[in-house]
């Protein structure tokens, strides 16, 4: 069979066989066909869509991506084969997958100030933090159901604390007011729209702004990074524990309105020499941190010692651990480069990948929790980019913000949520990662 895929020059053809791991109705016949060698991925996508349409008249065209020997095709087939030294005389197997691009953008969810933090780890809602000092819970685009009220300055980081299957959800927020606050959220606890929530515990101990917060997987502890160069560990329980919690009465109009707990840190990790800009807690006994002192450190929670550190030569703003074996370290900071390290390999100080497409500082990076290849990054250039370790080019660029993007995360496995200096939460849907 000869197919031209919309090519202008069909003089040279090569024999290919399209293969896929996708389920029906996304499977094409596996017999070899001849196609022009000058096709790029757009032309290849046209070919696959035409084959699918031939077998199913109701097929609606989808964007596809293509891999040869596990590597994405980002040039014409002829150029790819030449660059990789692959013979065009034999039948070429080309794997196709659904393109990792948003299929739809929701209407923006407007805040009163910069959206500085987002957490999409819970499938039932999105948690945001804002420069107006309020946290917000969004069940969907435009639907804010709860407002977290209590901080006296901008919120810099937010975190869903306990596992998704827990009956009651604990939320944590970190603020420039030098405190963290813990909140109880229940979808069914609504007396107005939106419902205002007060914190059940205020965590005090940092001497300067708290920049980041992360939770242990069990939800029993959280950790925080601060401009005071330290990392503090805190208990998240609601009980009055002797030695680390005292009771404070909050008064309003000379009436006792409610009791609040004040928590003190249970441990402090010392080693960074500048602002601890990001913390993550991927495993029970280990915390990772990134700092403006240009270093990434891994800490032993039991001993409080840093097990290793990486110096990258740039002030760092963000950090995440995931990818293959949940061990790859991704970080970004005061240049347009997203860097990835594999601490299992000798010479760990050298990144194994560097992604260079952003035009300004990196504000956020996040691995997809179900994929060994995919991560996102956000930047002050106003863009969110989606990456796959099998190619140096971004899979997609989300350009829905009108100003700096300050935070981004995955949501529900197939969506990206992001917040920015345009005071908006944006939700990009229909991203086929798996």
């Amino acid at each position: 069979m000869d197919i031209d895929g919309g090519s202008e020059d069909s003089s040279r053809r090569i024999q290919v066989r399209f293969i896929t791991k996708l389920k029906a109705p996304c499977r094409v016949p596996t017999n070899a066909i001849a196609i022009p060698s000058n096709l790029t991925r757009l032309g290849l996508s046209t070919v696959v869509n035409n084959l699918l349409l031939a077998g199913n008249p109701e097929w609606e065209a989808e964007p596809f991506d293509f891999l040869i020997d596990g590597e994405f095709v980002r040039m014409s087939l002829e150029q790819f084969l030449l660059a990789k030294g692959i013979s065009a005389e034999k039948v070429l197997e080309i794997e196709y997958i659904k393109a990792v691009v948003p299929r739809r953008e929701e209407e923006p969810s407007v805040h009163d100030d910069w959206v500085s933090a987002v957490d999409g780890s819970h499938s039932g809602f999105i948690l945001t933090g804002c420069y107006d000092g309020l946290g917000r819970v969004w069940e969907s685009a435009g639907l804010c159901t709860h407002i977290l009220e209590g901080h006296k300055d901008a919120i810099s980081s937010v975190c869903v604390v306990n596992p998704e299957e827990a009956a009651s959800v604990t939320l944590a927020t970190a603020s420039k007011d030098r405190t963290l606050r813990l909140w109880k959220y229940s979808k069914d606890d609504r007396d107005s729209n939106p419902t205002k929530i007060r914190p059940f515990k205020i965590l005090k101990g940092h001497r300067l702004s708290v920049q980041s917060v992360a939770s242990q997987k069990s939800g029993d502890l959280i950790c925080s990074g601060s401009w005071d160069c330290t990392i503090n560990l805190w208990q998240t329980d609601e009980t009055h524990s002797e030695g680390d919690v005292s009771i404070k009465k909050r008064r309003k109009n000379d009436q006792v309105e409610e009791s609040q707990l004040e928590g003190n840190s249970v441990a402090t990790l010392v080693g960074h020499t500048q602002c601890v800009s990001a913390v993550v807690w991927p495993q029970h006994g280990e915390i990772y941190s990134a700092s403006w002192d240009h270093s990434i450190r891994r800490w032993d929670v039991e001993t409080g010692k840093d097990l290793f550190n990486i110096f990258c030569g740039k002030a760092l703003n963000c950090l995440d651990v995931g990818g293959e074996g949940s061990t790859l370290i991704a970080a970004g900071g005061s240049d347009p480069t997203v860097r990835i390290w594999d601490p299992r390999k000798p010479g760990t100080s050298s990144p194994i990948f560097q992604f260079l497409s952003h035009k300004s500082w990196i504000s956020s990076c996040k691995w997809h929790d179900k994929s060994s290849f995919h991560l996102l990054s956000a930047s002050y250039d106003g863009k969110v980019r989606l990456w796959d370790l099998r190619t140096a080019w971004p899979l997609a660029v989300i350009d829905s913000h009108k100003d700096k993007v300050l935070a981004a995360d995955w949501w529900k496995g197939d969506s990206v949520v992001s917040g920015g200096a345009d005071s908006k939460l944006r939700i990009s849907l229909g991203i086929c990662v798996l």
Side-chain angles (χ1 to χ4, degrees):
M1 180 189 294
D2 266 17
I3 297 181
D4 66 17
S7 169
E8 295 179 3
D9 177 10
S10 303
S11 57
R12 186 181 179 198
R13 293 176 176 270
I14 56 176
Q15 292 286 320
V16 304
R17 179 181 294 111
F18 288 105
I19 61 173
T20 188
K21 296 173 184 171
L22 298 173
K23 309 279 189 209
C26 296
R27 290 180 173 273
V28 301
T30 57
N31 55 293
I33 60 174
I35 62 173
S37 62
N38 64 350
L39 289 186
T40 63
R41 64 174 179 150
L42 293 179
L44 291 170
S45 196
T46 299
V47 171
V48 169
N49 275 296
N50 286 339
L51 290 171
L52 290 169
L53 185 62
N56 177 11
E58 297 182 359
W59 173 258
E60 294 185 6
E62 275 263 5
F64 291 101
D65 249 318
F66 300 87
L67 300 98
I68 298 174
D69 290 340
E71 188 170 342
F72 277 89
V73 177
R74 285 294 182 267
M75 54 191 78
S76 72
L77 283 177
E78 189 171 33
Q79 291 170 325
F80 186 92
L81 296 181
L82 186 62
K84 302 300 176 182
I86 300 173
S87 171
E89 302 304 317
K90 62 179 182 178
V91 176
L92 182 67
E93 283 200 342
I94 304 177
E95 180 183 0
Y96 64 95
I97 62 175
K98 288 187 177 182
V100 179
V101 295
R103 269 63 175 178
R104 182 163 58 93
E105 294 284 343
E106 294 277 36
E107 288 298 312
S109 301
V110 180
H111 294 61
D112 294 331
D113 210 329
W114 290 10
V115 182
S116 49
V118 297
D119 187 325
S121 62
H122 196 288
S123 63
F125 62 86
I126 304 160
L127 176 63
T128 64
C130 183
Y131 262 62
D132 62 7
L134 301 176
R136 291 173 174 84
V137 175
W138 304 82
E139 288 189 4
S140 60
L143 181 57
C144 176
T145 60
H146 294 75
I147 292 179
L148 315 183
E149 192 175 67
H151 281 295
K152 297 178 173 60
D153 206 336
I155 291 177
S156 50
S157 184
V158 296
C159 173
V160 178
V161 173
N162 47 349
E164 182 157 341
E165 60 271 14
S168 179
V169 180
T170 301
L171 311 175
T173 54
S175 170
K176 296 182 183 297
D177 67 10
R178 300 182 293 176
T179 72
L180 297 100
R181 298 180 188 236
L182 298 174
W183 321 73
K184 282 295 181 187
Y185 160 75
S186 173
K187 180 178 180 179
D188 300 326
D189 182 18
R190 292 169 64 174
D191 54 25
S192 60
N193 197 15
T195 297
K196 292 184 178 179
I197 309 175
R198 300 293 299 184
F200 70 83
K201 185 183 281 191
I202 302 173
L203 307 178
K204 294 184 176 181
H206 282 298
R207 294 178 289 105
L208 296 173
S209 298
V210 188
Q211 189 67 13
S212 53
V213 61
S215 173
Q216 190 180 48
K217 286 190 179 297
S218 66
D220 297 328
L221 294 170
I222 60 172
C223 63
S224 58
S226 168
W227 277 88
D228 64 14
C229 310
T230 67
I231 300 165
N232 281 349
L233 276 59
W234 316 82
Q235 292 179 328
T236 62
D237 61 309
E238 297 179 74
T239 60
H240 176 203
S241 303
E242 185 177 354
D244 65 354
V245 177
S246 61
I247 292 181
K248 173 189 174 183
K249 300 287 187 179
R250 185 167 62 82
R251 295 179 178 273
K252 186 176 181 181
N253 299 326
D254 295 326
Q255 303 257 334
V256 176
E257 187 174 302
E258 66 182 42
S259 296
Q260 280 184 330
L261 301 177
E262 283 192 2
N264 299 314
S265 61
V266 296
T268 299
L269 309 179
V270 179
H272 284 295
T273 58
Q274 292 194 46
C275 169
V276 181
S277 52
V279 288
V280 292
W281 203 331
Q283 299 178 38
H284 181 79
E286 293 181 347
I287 291 170
Y288 290 75
S289 60
S291 170
W292 280 32
D293 65 12
H294 302 183
S295 76
I296 297 168
R297 297 173 187 250
R298 184 173 71 192
W299 304 84
D300 184 304
V301 174
E302 186 75 22
T303 65
K305 295 179 179 178
D306 62 344
L307 302 175
F308 79 89
N309 53 68
I310 300 169
F311 290 89
C312 74
K314 298 292 179 181
L316 295 168
N317 296 326
C318 57
L319 169 76
D320 198 25
V321 176
E324 182 188 353
S326 297
T327 57
L328 301 184
I329 302 169
S334 60
D335 71 354
T337 305
V338 180
R339 295 175 174 85
I340 298 172
W341 293 266
D342 186 344
R344 301 167 298 180
K345 294 188 175 182
T348 297
S349 60
S350 299
I352 59 170
F353 297 102
Q354 296 189 77
F355 296 130
L356 307 171
S357 295
H358 281 294
K359 306 301 181 187
S360 187
W361 288 17
I362 309 299
S363 57
S364 186
C365 58
K366 194 77 174 182
W367 290 100
H368 193 284
D369 64 358
K370 297 290 193 300
S371 171
S372 298
F373 300 111
H374 295 89
L375 71 156
L376 63 76
S377 62
S379 169
Y380 292 171
D381 65 10
K383 309 287 195 299
V384 177
R385 297 179 188 266
L386 308 183
W387 304 94
D388 188 304
L389 299 186
R390 294 168 290 187
T391 178
W393 288 271
L395 298 181
V397 179
I398 300 173
D399 190 14
S400 56
H401 288 279
K402 305 304 180 187
D403 206 331
K404 299 183 188 76
V405 184
L406 304 177
D409 198 2
W410 300 95
W411 186 43
K412 295 184 178 180
D414 66 350
S415 302
V416 168
V417 292
S418 56
D422 58 3
S423 303
K424 294 174 181 176
L425 166 70
R426 301 304 304 249
I427 305 174
S428 305
L429 301 173
I431 302 170
C432 300
V433 170
L434 301 177

